[in-house]
Amino acid sequence: MTKKLFDILIVGGGMVGASLALRFSQAGLQVAVIEKTPLSLVQDSMPTDAAETTEPPIDLRVSAINRRSEQWLQDIGVWQHLPATRLCPYRALQAFEGDSQPHNEGLTFTATELDQPYLGHIIENNSLQKTMWQQFNEFITLFCPATVVSLSQQSAISGYASVTTKEFGEISGRLLIAADGAQSQLRNLAGIGHNGWQYQQACLVATVDTEYPQQDITWQQFTEQGPRAFLPLPGAQASLVWYDDLPKVKALAQLPAAQLALEIQKNFPAKLGKIAVKQQGWFPLTRMHANRYWQGRVVLVGDAAHSINPLAGQGVNLGFADAALLSELVLQALSEGRDLADSQLLQQYWQERKKANLLMMSAMDGFYQLFSSRWPVLRLARKLGLTAAAKAGPLKAWVGAYAAGLKG
């Protein structure tokens, strides 16, 4: 097969990889995107166009997009094209222990306190990915479905590295970006090690109908068994997240919808109200961090570089922050006539993003350990901590701004 040469080669056409493809294409670079999921399967799971009268059901996989990520999506021309019917803004974040009553509201951050119209949006992953792919232009070549079988950096001296795919043969790029998830094949082929562990808990996710109209608050209730989370969705719907021991979560995921709804209402706070389960699934909780973010002409972004406890829904936001910095540095190198895989720029990217990602990973681990502990002393510390934080004034405002992506 004919050898294919590109400026940027991205393995993984998900949200982070697709966003980078768009950004680099805007600068006139020739970009290749290699995605293993067949295009027909991706399209089948995606929402229909807004012009259609019947809206498909909300997908189980959703993300909380903060203000910084929204700005990134605006910059690459995606946000403006997202269907409004699939977006749900949230204007408050709340954390509390036990049930949430007027005397026990815990810690609440509001958009009004931060002088913002909202703190972020909940959106389906596949809706965001579809919109990105619809913006692909003549500078982007999509190889899909395509499976990478090998990597060669022998040609690094000549300015390219290559991957071989089953379907399209050899594809080469001046810079190879691994955006292929936590089990990244390109990371492994590049010989980049990683460390991490699997938490003792798992996570149940359910999409539900609620008895209340569309809400604009996302909250987390902390219990001795693990957090319970509520993410508002468009209309009278919500995404619920239930952390618990692995056997318990597996058993819950196997329940009929009506029975699972009863279990949810018994274990979630009363403020949830009556619900009807539409779909459900589960996944284990893991933490992974690559030992380095680059090797030769291969650089890691998003989950390929770091997999975080989803406690605060920061995973995709960290990935978009990776993409924003990497693209900025690469385009700066382009303007200066430097190699797109210049070791100094890749090292700078690694150092800056490693610091930010580790900070968030450690913070989420700290919350996880603190709020999962059943020790009486830590339970008291949690209550005192939430109470103190709620009255902290400027500190509370800073934390709220950080959570919304307005700082950091």
Side-chain angles (χ1 to χ4, degrees):
M1 296 185 182
T2 304
K3 188 173 183 179
K4 305 167 185 68
L5 300 178
F6 296 88
D7 297 311
I8 306 290
L9 193 162
I10 301 171
V11 178
M15 296 181 289
V16 175
S19 73
L20 274 168
L22 288 170
R23 181 66 189 95
F24 287 127
S25 72
Q26 291 169 350
L29 294 174
Q30 293 295 327
V31 181
V33 177
I34 298 175
E35 172 56 48
K36 66 181 180 180
T37 304
L39 186 58
S40 60
L41 295 182
V42 175
Q43 289 176 325
D44 288 345
S45 68
M46 290 177 178
T48 54
D49 292 334
E52 298 189 20
T53 56
T54 303
E55 284 283 337
I58 294 289
D59 191 74
L60 192 62
R61 297 163 301 168
V62 301
S63 293
I65 303 298
N66 66 25
R67 296 300 303 276
R68 175 179 289 185
S69 293
E70 180 183 330
Q71 184 60 58
W72 164 249
L73 295 172
Q74 287 178 344
D75 292 343
I76 62 174
V78 169
W79 190 261
Q80 302 88 321
H81 297 283
L82 288 170
T85 56
R86 315 301 291 197
L87 286 169
C88 181
Y90 58 93
R91 297 178 174 85
L93 296 163
Q94 188 180 73
F96 56 90
E97 276 209 290
D99 208 342
S100 178
Q101 303 297 335
H103 64 281
N104 183 28
E105 285 298 326
L107 179 61
T108 302
F109 302 102
T110 68
T112 301
E113 291 174 324
L114 300 174
D115 196 26
Q116 297 292 321
Y118 51 82
L119 299 177
H121 284 82
I122 309 297
I123 185 172
E124 298 152 278
N125 293 0
N126 58 20
S127 180
L128 185 49
Q129 183 181 357
K130 176 187 179 182
T131 304
M132 289 180 177
W133 283 28
Q134 288 174 335
Q135 306 311 310
F136 280 5
N137 53 48
E138 67 273 18
F139 293 100
I140 301 173
T141 302
L142 177 63
F143 296 95
C144 177
T147 304
V148 174
V149 295
S150 66
L151 164 70
S152 172
Q153 301 214 59
Q154 298 301 318
S155 59
I157 295 178
S158 63
Y160 286 89
S162 306
V163 299
T164 301
T165 66
K166 289 181 181 179
E167 298 82 0
F168 300 97
E170 188 174 86
I171 307 172
S172 302
R174 296 161 65 188
L175 177 67
L176 276 58
I177 300 176
D180 50 345
Q183 304 302 321
S184 172
Q185 184 181 17
L186 191 55
R187 181 188 67 221
N188 295 335
L189 290 172
I192 301 176
H194 62 279
N195 60 78
W197 58 81
Q198 184 165 315
Y199 297 93
Q200 296 302 308
Q201 288 194 318
C203 183
L204 174 83
V205 180
T207 304
V208 303
D209 287 327
T210 70
E211 67 174 310
Y212 303 119
Q214 180 172 324
Q215 300 183 57
D216 64 356
I217 182 172
T218 177
W219 48 257
Q220 291 194 345
Q221 173 201 33
F222 293 100
T223 75
E224 292 182 351
Q225 293 74 34
R228 314 280 189 261
F230 173 94
L231 288 77
L233 294 175
Q237 302 178 95
S239 176
L240 305 181
V241 189
W242 183 343
Y243 296 80
D244 216 307
D245 296 335
L246 179 59
K248 176 74 174 288
V249 168
K250 283 185 174 181
L252 288 169
Q254 298 302 315
L255 292 177
Q259 189 173 348
L260 177 58
L262 292 175
E263 289 297 321
I264 289 174
Q265 288 182 234
K266 286 193 299 184
N267 288 274
F268 273 61
K271 67 188 295 181
L272 175 63
K274 295 180 180 180
I275 54 104
V277 175
K278 302 171 67 175
Q279 53 182 324
Q280 66 218 55
W282 74 277
F283 56 88
L285 302 181
T286 60
R287 165 174 168 150
M288 185 283 298
H289 199 216
N291 294 339
R292 54 186 291 126
Y293 285 12
W294 68 280
Q295 181 65 48
R297 292 187 175 275
V298 175
V299 61
L300 313 181
V301 296
D303 286 350
H306 44 79
S307 179
I308 187 174
N309 188 316
L311 188 61
Q314 291 296 317
V316 70
N317 294 312
L318 293 181
F320 285 145
D322 290 348
L325 178 61
L326 179 63
S327 61
E328 177 186 342
L329 293 174
V330 170
L331 294 179
Q332 178 181 339
L334 178 68
S335 68
E336 297 172 353
R338 296 158 58 197
D339 189 344
L340 299 186
D342 182 275
S343 60
Q344 290 185 336
L345 83 84
L346 295 182
Q347 183 73 9
Q348 181 181 348
Y349 161 74
W350 175 34
Q351 290 178 340
E352 291 190 26
R353 290 309 302 156
K354 176 185 176 182
K355 179 180 179 181
N357 291 331
L358 276 176
L359 176 62
M360 182 59 70
M361 295 172 80
S362 298
M364 291 305 100
D365 280 343
F367 277 115
Y368 178 83
Q369 296 297 332
L370 177 62
F371 287 101
S372 296
S373 175
R374 302 178 185 180
W375 290 4
V377 172
L378 286 182
R379 290 177 61 188
L380 177 60
R382 289 198 299 262
K383 292 182 178 179
L384 292 175
L386 286 175
T387 301
K391 301 177 180 179
L395 177 60
K396 178 190 172 185
W398 186 90
V399 173
Y402 191 89
L406 300 171
K407 292 185 179 296

